[in-house]
């Protein structure tokens, strides 16, 4: 496959071009390594552990995590097919359904969410530096919070330091990120077993019992009797929302695959099973902390800070490397391509990375993490309501409307078949809007309960299924409006 040569086309950009046969050399191991690298991260660990805190038994939490990842794997494989077949990224694939200009909308939606995640992961990295310095100092560093910022000067400095460390990989581009993920994935698996060995050595074979044997709080006579489903569904939606961004921009990675088999096996091996195992690890290790410290410690950074001797240094350094690799692979590559797609002649992949890093600072991620309500119901479920409809449109367009047949050259033309006349496909816009609308009342109630206290129970219930509702409505609306349009 060769690049089109349109000298007058401002949609063209080498970073958005189809990959050549020589470039597409990844095997399924690299995709599995990519997923293992992204799965083994602090937010995934804490999110898994929080389900037990919400009332689930350990095994209910593990099964919920596994189910959510098995569900979100489906759109990942479906959307990833186009990247592997045609060598195009997400921002270009979106042109087939939204139009050559309209594709900027889904690109921007996905990019903004990724900027938030980039900031959250950077905050975790900065927190590890802050914790490490406190351990080395023998006492917590810093002082009183800085007014409206809500964090102290030392926390801010550590956050900015970690943000600066990641700029190296932004400058050196995609290849440096792929190399980092390939080498760190096996290390992360080894560290998980080391962590299990450490807690087993500390508490003995009987130390894994307290939380593993703890019954669900939803059983008859339990403190949350009869509330399982009202907890399960928003938790499942939040878990799906956790990977909803990558479910869209997965072509940014699969475009480097040598075959469909590579991307399918790599993702299938690399996502659901490792995520389920991480959930089990979170439950087991947290169970041991009850014996060690008298309370459940869900934050691995907090746990690492309680280790002694060289173990503290090793644990925190490993977590730092882990956070860098996850953040760059999951939250930099996608938005960098997306911002580049907004103005290809002026914004390169690297410049898109700089924009991502800059917006991550402005979003003050520690505010998102102030409470479980903010993190799960407002952040995770909230943005899944935006991204679900886009996934529905992409899948229906690629499989039912196009029958997986795309004209790559036309994707880079202003007046091509994917311009829909003025660059916007009204069917995709309508499907997106109608997919988002039913979730808005529930989101407003979750994000601003004091300002929107009278939202009806129906809308609150709809919001707990935000991603599913968005996918279903958008898919049906788009399919009906595009019926009879043909392969192109």
């Amino acid at each position: 496959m060769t690049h089109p040569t349109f000298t007058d086309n401002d949609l063209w950009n080498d970073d958005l071009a189809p990959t050549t046969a020589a470039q597409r050399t990844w095997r399924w191991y690299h995709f599995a390594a990519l997923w293992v690298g992204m799965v083994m991260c602090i937010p995934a660990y804490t999110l898994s552990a929080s389900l037990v805190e919400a009332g689930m038994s350990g095994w209910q939490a593990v099964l919920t995590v596994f189910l959510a990842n098995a569900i979100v794997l489906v759109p990942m494989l479906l959307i990833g097919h186009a990247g592997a077949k045609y060598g195009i990224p997400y921002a270009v694939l979106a042109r087939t359904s939204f139009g050559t200009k309209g594709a900027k909308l889904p690109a921007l939606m996905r990019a903004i969410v990724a900027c938030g995640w980039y900031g959250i992961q950077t905050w975790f990295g900065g927190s590890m530096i802050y914790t490490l310095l406190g351990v080395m100092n023998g006492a917590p560093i810093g002082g009183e919070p800085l007014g409206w910022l809500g964090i102290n000067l030392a926390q801010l400095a550590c956050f900015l330091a970690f943000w600066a460390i990641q700029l190296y990989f932004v400058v050196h581009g995609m290849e440096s990120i792929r190399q980092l993920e390939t080498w760190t994935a096996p290390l992360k698996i080894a560290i998980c077993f080391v962590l299990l060995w450490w807690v087993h050595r500390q508490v003995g074979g009987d130390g894994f019992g307290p939380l593993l044997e703890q019954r669900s709080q939803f059983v008859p006579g339990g403190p949350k009797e009869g509330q399982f489903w009202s907890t399960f569904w928003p938790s499942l939606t939040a878990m799906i929302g956790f990977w909803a961004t990558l479910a869209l921009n997965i072509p940014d990675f699969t475009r480097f695959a040598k075959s469909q088999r590579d991307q399918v096996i790599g993702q299938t091996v690399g996502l659901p099973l490792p995520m389920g195992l991480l959930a089990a690890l979170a439950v087991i290790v947290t169970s041991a902390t009850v014996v060690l410290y008298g309370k459940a410690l869900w934050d691995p950074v907090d746990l690492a800070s309680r280790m002694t001797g060289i173990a503290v240094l090793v644990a925190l350094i490993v977590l730092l490397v882990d956070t860098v690799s996850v953040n760059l692979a999951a939250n930099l590559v996608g938005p960098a391509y997306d911002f580049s797609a907004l103005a290809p002649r002026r914004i390169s992949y690297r410049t898109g990375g700089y924009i991502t890093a800059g917006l991550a600072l402005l979003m003050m991620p520690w505010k998102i993490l102030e409470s479980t309500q903010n993190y799960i119901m407002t952040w995770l479920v909230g943005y899944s309501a935006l991204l679900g409809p886009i996934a529905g449109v992409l899948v229906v367009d690629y499989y039912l409307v196009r029958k997986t047949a795309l004209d790559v050259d036309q994707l880079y033309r202003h007046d091509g078949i994917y311009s829909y006349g003025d660059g916007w496909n009204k069917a995709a816009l309508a499907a997106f809007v109608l997919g988002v609308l039913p979730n808005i009342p529930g989101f407003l109630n979750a994000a601003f309960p004091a300002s929107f206290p009278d939202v009806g129970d129906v809308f609150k219930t709809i919001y707990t299924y935000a991603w599913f509702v968005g996918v279903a409505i958008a898919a049906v609306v788009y399919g009906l409006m595009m019926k009879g349009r043909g392969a192109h």
Side-chain angles (χ1 to χ4, degrees):
M1 183 182 295
T2 58
H3 293 178
T5 54
F6 305 137
T7 56
D8 62 344
N9 190 345
D10 67 0
L11 288 176
W12 178 252
N13 179 301
D14 283 341
D15 293 322
L16 301 176
T19 53
T20 64
Q23 291 172 311
R24 298 166 68 186
T25 58
W26 273 14
R27 300 299 296 174
W28 71 263
Y29 165 76
H30 295 85
F31 283 102
L34 174 73
W35 277 117
V36 171
M38 290 191 288
V39 163
M40 301 294 177
C41 65
I42 294 174
Y45 180 104
T46 54
L47 187 60
S48 302
S50 69
L51 295 182
V52 178
E53 189 177 30
M56 292 187 183
S57 68
W59 301 117
Q60 284 176 334
V62 171
L63 290 174
T64 300
V65 171
F66 183 83
L67 178 60
N69 283 271
I71 291 173
V72 81
L73 178 65
V74 175
M76 283 184 176
L77 293 177
L78 293 176
I79 296 173
H81 184 281
K85 183 175 182 179
Y86 296 103
I88 55 176
Y90 159 68
V92 173
L93 175 62
R95 294 173 184 174
T96 67
S97 52
F98 283 85
T100 48
K101 292 181 180 178
K104 295 179 180 181
L105 172 64
L108 185 61
M109 292 293 99
R110 193 265 179 253
I112 291 175
V113 171
C115 288
W117 271 119
Y118 189 88
I120 288 173
Q121 290 276 21
T122 302
W123 172 251
F124 278 123
S127 297
M128 280 176 267
I129 296 176
Y130 179 79
T131 300
L132 181 58
L133 293 176
V135 171
M136 295 173 64
N137 184 55
I141 61 174
E144 294 298 318
L146 299 173
W148 59 273
L149 277 179
I151 56 176
N152 63 44
L153 183 60
Q155 288 175 305
L156 179 61
C158 292
F159 172 68
L160 293 176
F162 191 75
W163 179 87
I165 289 171
Q166 296 173 107
L167 279 182
Y168 168 86
F169 296 96
V170 176
V171 171
H172 289 80
M174 182 71 174
E175 183 58 33
S176 64
I177 296 173
R178 288 202 296 268
Q179 291 175 353
L180 181 66
E181 280 296 329
T182 300
W183 286 104
T184 58
L187 175 63
K188 292 174 185 179
I189 295 174
I191 290 300
C192 287
F193 284 104
V194 170
L195 183 58
L196 281 174
W197 169 81
W198 180 81
V199 295
H200 184 273
R201 182 181 178 186
Q202 295 294 314
V203 302
D206 295 331
F208 293 136
L211 287 187
L212 294 181
E213 296 173 1
Q214 179 177 309
R215 299 176 66 197
S216 167
Q217 296 182 32
F218 307 116
V219 298
K224 296 184 178 181
E225 179 180 353
Q227 300 178 35
F228 175 77
W229 295 111
S230 62
T231 301
F232 170 79
W233 285 111
S235 297
L236 185 71
T237 303
M239 289 290 171
I240 292 173
F242 188 80
W243 294 115
T245 50
L246 280 167
L248 291 182
N249 80 290
I250 194 62
D252 295 340
F253 299 96
T254 60
R255 68 193 294 245
F256 296 99
K258 189 174 182 180
S259 68
Q260 292 296 342
R261 180 178 180 274
D262 292 343
Q263 73 102 358
V264 169
I265 295 179
Q267 293 194 80
T268 303
V269 171
L271 179 59
L273 184 59
M275 194 68 185
L277 291 175
L278 180 66
L281 173 73
V283 171
I284 292 172
V285 173
T286 304
S287 176
T289 64
V290 175
V291 177
L292 286 173
Y293 306 109
K295 62 177 181 178
L297 300 179
W298 304 104
D299 184 354
V301 178
D302 185 12
L303 175 59
S305 70
R306 294 168 186 263
M307 296 179 180
T308 57
I310 192 66
V312 180
L313 179 62
V314 172
L316 289 173
I317 289 177
V318 169
L319 287 174
L320 280 169
V321 173
D322 164 63
T323 303
V324 170
S325 65
V326 170
N327 206 20
L328 294 171
N331 305 314
L332 176 72
V333 175
Y337 280 128
D338 295 340
F339 285 125
S340 181
L342 297 179
R345 296 182 67 180
R346 294 184 293 275
I347 303 177
S348 66
Y349 168 82
R350 184 174 288 108
T351 302
Y354 296 148
I355 294 173
T356 301
L359 289 177
L361 285 177
L362 299 177
M363 295 178 77
M364 296 192 292
W366 53 89
K367 297 288 186 181
I368 297 175
L369 299 169
E370 280 182 338
S371 68
T372 301
Q373 174 70 15
N374 282 350
Y375 181 45
I376 294 180
M377 292 305 295
T378 303
W379 174 245
L380 289 174
V381 179
Y383 76 65
S384 76
L386 284 177
L387 303 186
I390 298 173
V393 169
L394 291 182
V395 171
V396 169
D397 181 80
Y398 184 63
Y399 286 93
L400 300 185
V401 177
R402 314 291 169 191
K403 310 296 185 185
T404 74
L406 304 181
D407 187 329
V408 176
D409 287 356
Q410 292 289 318
L411 287 169
Y412 298 90
R413 293 186 181 277
H414 279 303
D415 56 353
I417 58 176
Y418 303 114
S419 70
Y420 298 95
D422 59 357
W424 295 82
N425 183 4
K426 306 302 189 297
L429 294 179
F432 173 74
V433 171
L434 292 176
V436 170
L437 278 178
N439 287 306
I440 291 179
F443 169 78
L444 293 175
N445 176 258
F448 312 103
S451 301
F452 298 91
D454 299 323
V455 171
D457 291 338
V458 171
F459 288 109
K460 291 180 183 178
T461 300
I462 289 174
Y463 183 64
T464 63
Y465 304 93
W467 185 84
F468 297 96
V469 170
V471 167
I473 292 177
V476 171
V477 171
Y478 186 79
L480 291 175
M481 293 185 70
M482 292 294 289
K483 188 174 182 180
R485 294 287 186 97
H488 295 300

